[in-house]
Amino acid sequence: MPNYASKTSGAAIVRSKTSPSWIGSGRVFWQSLPLVAYMRPPEVILEPDNHPGNCWPFPGSQGHVFIKLPVAVFPTAVTINHGVPAAAYHADSISSAPKDFAVYGLQEEDDEKGTLLGEFIFMPGQAPGQTFQLKNEHSAFIKYVRLQVLSNWGHPEYTCVYQFRLHGDPAPDGDARGKLSA
């Protein structure tokens, strides 16, 4: 399935509409002196590298990311990766995984509400990448997508998203105005 939320295909994070990154206690040191706090930007969720620790953390258990798609798409599914194989899970990685989340499709960047495409539960300890079919009865072609994380599995400080993928069909000849018929 093609991934329309990939940085290599031209997708981009709209930072002004995205939760801030969590800046944790992990720091970069030089000769035992702390230099800067270490954080990962939200753009990592648009990249395929999912090794443990390479995730976008945001503060608390609720946050959102707003993504501009490279082309208008009729969305059919999303995949969330929490990048850690089940055998490598430990309490911290499970508790920081997203739990409840919603996906919204938007036609314009200034659209505040969007169309709810679905609400889902990510189950850590199963497959690191889990695909969820979207409800499309009211959907149209979208140019933006918002991932809204509603809760995590209990981590008190942050939630970590490794990768978000959007699957679907591109608009024919760039026409993103009309709705598809059911």
Side-chain angles (χ1 to χ4, degrees), residues 85 130 182:
Q130 297 173 27

Side-chain angles (χ1 to χ4, degrees), residues 28 41 43 105 135 175:
V28 175
E43 284 78 7
K135 64 178 192 177
D175 179 23

Side-chain angles (χ1 to χ4, degrees), residues 157-168:
E157 294 181 45
Y158 63 87
T159 301
C160 217
V161 179
Y162 278 80
Q163 186 183 41
F164 176 79
R165 292 181 277 177
L166 177 77
H167 313 291

Side-chain angles (χ1 to χ4, degrees), residues 50 52 82-90 93 125-128:
N50 290 38
H82 191 68
V84 182
Y89 268 98
H90 55 82
S93 66
Q126 294 182 0

Side-chain angles (χ1 to χ4, degrees), residues 143-164:
K143 297 177 187 173
Y144 298 87
V145 64
R146 183 175 74 233
L147 167 64
Q148 184 83 40
V149 177
L150 305 169
S151 65
N152 68 20
W153 286 93
H155 199 288
E157 294 181 45
Y158 63 87
T159 301
C160 217
V161 179
Y162 278 80
Q163 186 183 41
F164 176 79

Side-chain angles (χ1 to χ4, degrees), residues 12 21 30 35 38 48-49 51 62 75 78 83 90-91 100 119 128 135 143 159 162 165 172 181:
S21 296
W30 181 72
L35 294 178
Y38 182 69
D49 185 9
H51 67 271
Q62 297 182 350
V78 295
H90 55 82
D100 300 298
E119 290 188 20
K135 64 178 192 177
K143 297 177 187 173
T159 301
Y162 278 80
R165 292 181 277 177
S181 58

